[in-house]
Amino acid sequence: MAATSLSVGLIGLGTVGSQVAERLLNGLPQLNRRAGLELCLEKILVRDVAKPRAVTVAPALLTADPAELLDNPTIQVIVEVAGGDEPMHSYLQRAISAGKHVVTANKAVMANHGMQLLALAAEKNADVYFEAAVGGGIPLISTFRTDLQANRIERVSAVINGTTNYVLGRMSADGLPLEYAVREAQAAGYAEADPTDDVDGFDATYKLAILGSIAYEISVRPQDIYREGIKGIEPVDFRYARELGYAIKLIAHTQRHPGRVEARVHPALVPLDHPLAQVEGADNAVFVEGDLVGRVLLVGQGAGGRPTASAVVGDLIDLARSIRRGVQHRPSFSFDDRIGVIPMGEVETRAYYRIRAEDRAGVVAAVGQVFAEEGVSISSFIQKDAWVEEKTAELVITTHPTADMRLQRARQRIAELELVRAVSAFLRVF
Ligand SMILES: NC(=O)c1ccc[n+]([C@@H]2O[C@H](COP(=O)([O-])OP(=O)(O)OC[C@H]3O[C@@H](n4cnc5c(N)ncnc54)[C@H](OP(=O)(O)O)[C@@H]3O)[C@@H](O)[C@H]2O)c1
């Protein structure tokens, strides 16, 4: 007999979970019509059942016992919007092993264990949906999986972490130091109390691992991705970057090369006329290049309870439709593990150096000699502000593309020059 309802167990009732519950409890006639099945929110797992909630739910729906969802045979799908690697990874594994479908917004679990969960799901004839794990409400996974599937994806470049984009935007607009801008982002609700995941680039790395894996159908693990956060950038870098025609963004970039891919997350100078330079505030943007479609730009709110719930509930409806039709809706994922990630040192990049040096004859020649010996060709060279009493000046240099290891070696060698006080900033140019 054809299914008429879909019983849902929800894990998490926080920022995203309360919006998902709200939509499931209050938007049902329309959702059910689209799903073709009656969606029934049966149980909600939280840590503390007594905590006040942003959404009104019957107390009987709440539990703090995972077994009430995971071992409940009537629950057919687990919607996980709790976050963190463990115990959620184990919960999802347990759910799939029991033949339940999964919808998750958990980037850490999908980046670290996505392959295994998808393989297990294929074995158990269950589906795993994870649109909300990357880019909040922006339809990315479904775009790769359906609309772009005729393409060979050549590259994906993204501003994929709203918190750092907000912070860099504030530093750029008002000359705020990083720590002030982070505090402002926390006050505005864009940054967590502990901003490490965002500021150090972990969040963007998880998302790039998922995007890269889906785009190329290979295994891109977070630990294979080169990662640098935004610490160390100073307000003056935005001023110099602007003078040179660039904005500064935290960029997640992956690109196909013969037999390998590059995958990296780091701050970069982005030309002001590039679409990624124009992404404002906490928005996200993903720029995709496919061999048939050419360039596609997807922009939107990459976080927030409502946009993320839009992706979660959209996945749930998609799943319900496939169940109603009695089909495994999604083509199963296959990942070619022979294709690896190129070490950062071998990647061709350009760089921006801000060097504090003694304002004396011979500095420019010494710096130039290091670049020449490392085979790095200079694209622009400007001598900036001088500190007369300290007899120092700032040199701002950008390079042409070179293997990144040469750029990094030049950075180290310049810092060791007798006439140089410090290489105060070293950023890639996109
Ligand atoms: N917030 C966003 O803008 C956003 C955007 C995209 C993706 N996501 C992802 O969505 C997920 C949820 O994020 P969120 O911002 O909604 O988090 P949140 O506000 O901190 O809410 C987490 C919820 O999960 C519950 N929970 C956490 N650990 C649990 C455990 N071990 N057992 C049972 N329940 C547990 C919490 O229960 P209590 O309420 O009882 O503490 C809380 O209700 C994360 O994976 C996040 O990365 C979030």
Side-chain angles (χ1 to χ4, degrees):
M1 213 172 69
T4 56
S5 67
L6 184 66
S7 174
V8 178
L10 178 65
I11 305 182
L13 195 59
T15 308
V16 179
S18 54
Q19 294 297 331
V20 171
E22 214 278 324
R23 184 60 40 137
L24 287 180
L25 294 169
N26 301 322
L28 273 179
Q30 192 193 38
L31 298 193
N32 289 344
R33 204 166 47 245
R34 289 182 186 157
L37 286 179
E38 194 187 337
L39 301 172
C40 306
L41 180 54
E42 194 157 320
K43 268 290 168 214
I44 304 173
L45 176 66
V46 290
R47 276 180 299 214
D48 177 3
V49 290
K51 197 165 155 182
R53 302 287 166 185
V55 58
T56 308
V57 294
L61 276 181
L62 294 174
T63 179
D65 177 6
E68 285 197 40
L69 282 76
L70 303 174
D71 301 336
N72 179 343
T74 63
I75 290 182
Q76 295 156 280
V77 49
I78 295 293
V79 174
E80 187 264 314
V81 285
D85 197 314
E86 287 296 348
M88 294 308 144
H89 166 229
S90 304
Y91 288 177
L92 297 187
Q93 207 169 23
R94 194 161 136 198
I96 297 167
S97 297
K100 299 185 194 309
H101 306 286
V102 161
V103 175
T104 180
N106 194 323
K107 59 200 141 254
V109 164
M110 286 313 294
N112 289 322
H113 316 285
M115 306 284 157
Q116 298 92 307
L117 292 179
L118 289 165
L120 181 64
E123 200 182 298
K124 298 287 175 186
N125 203 25
D127 268 333
V128 177
Y129 287 72
F130 49 97
E131 182 64 69
V134 190
I138 309 172
L140 291 173
I141 306 299
S142 58
T143 303
F144 280 112
R145 296 295 298 160
T146 54
D147 308 293
L148 297 180
Q149 60 185 323
N151 287 266
R152 177 184 149 100
I153 302 297
E154 300 296 348
R155 71 187 75 197
V156 181
S157 312
V159 168
I160 200 78
N161 179 269
T163 306
T164 46
N165 202 52
Y166 178 89
V167 167
L168 294 174
R170 295 296 298 123
M171 291 176 75
S172 173
D174 282 353
L176 299 183
L178 180 84
E179 56 279 17
Y180 280 68
V182 169
R183 256 180 260 146
E184 211 186 276
Q186 285 166 327
Y190 292 127
E192 308 267 343
D194 176 0
T196 312
D197 255 16
D198 296 317
V199 169
D200 288 353
F202 290 102
D203 176 88
T205 302
Y206 287 147
K207 291 167 175 170
L208 187 65
I210 298 171
L211 279 183
S213 301
I214 299 301
Y216 307 127
E217 296 186 296
I218 66 168
S219 163
V220 180
R221 300 173 307 164
Q223 60 267 36
D224 298 333
I225 295 176
Y226 178 81
R227 176 185 55 79
E228 249 180 54
I230 61 170
K231 282 180 190 152
I233 303 174
E234 291 178 33
V236 67
D237 292 310
F238 293 89
R239 182 152 61 84
Y240 292 165
R242 217 169 10 247
E243 283 174 26
L244 291 163
Y246 297 95
I248 300 177
K249 299 284 177 186
L250 182 71
I251 294 290
H253 176 76
T254 175
Q255 185 171 336
R256 192 190 282 275
H257 293 272
R260 292 193 297 177
V261 299
E262 71 180 76
R264 47 193 169 105
V265 168
H266 54 67
L269 273 69
V270 180
L272 286 168
D273 59 358
H274 191 287
L276 294 183
Q278 286 143 35
V279 183
E280 297 287 347
D283 274 1
N284 283 186
V286 179
F287 196 60
V288 187
E289 217 174 300
D291 64 343
L292 276 180
V293 74
R295 293 167 175 182
V296 175
L297 180 69
L298 297 126
V299 189
Q301 292 182 58
R306 288 172 66 81
T308 309
S310 157
V312 170
V313 179
D315 274 354
L316 191 59
I317 293 173
D318 217 3
L319 169 67
R321 281 197 191 128
S322 76
I323 292 173
R324 182 174 57 87
R325 291 195 207 112
V327 292
Q328 184 87 8
H329 169 62
R330 301 208 146 193
S332 56
F333 292 85
S334 67
F335 298 100
D336 185 343
D337 53 15
R338 291 166 306 170
I339 296 177
V341 175
I342 304 174
M344 184 63 183
E346 294 175 34
V347 169
E348 289 252 309
T349 55
R350 296 178 60 206
Y352 154 100
Y353 298 75
R354 176 163 56 85
I355 300 164
R356 182 88 175 259
E358 295 193 13
D359 200 2
R360 281 208 275 146
V363 175
V364 173
V367 169
Q369 191 177 342
V370 171
F371 280 124
E373 284 171 9
E374 291 298 340
V376 176
S377 150
I378 292 173
S379 163
S380 70
F381 182 103
I382 313 169
Q383 176 156 345
K384 299 301 294 186
D385 305 340
W387 288 267
V388 178
E389 62 284 6
E390 286 181 35
K391 295 199 173 70
T392 64
E394 209 145 49
L395 311 178
V396 175
I397 297 169
T398 63
T399 73
H400 286 299
T402 317
D404 198 75
M405 71 177 80
R406 292 176 185 274
L407 299 170
Q408 294 199 42
R409 226 167 23 222
R411 170 201 196 173
Q412 200 181 332
R413 286 185 58 192
I414 291 167
E416 288 163 3
L417 289 174
E418 207 187 315
L419 297 176
V420 167
R421 298 275 176 93
V423 177
S424 313
F426 170 77
L427 298 166
R428 281 24 175 250
V429 179
F430 192 61

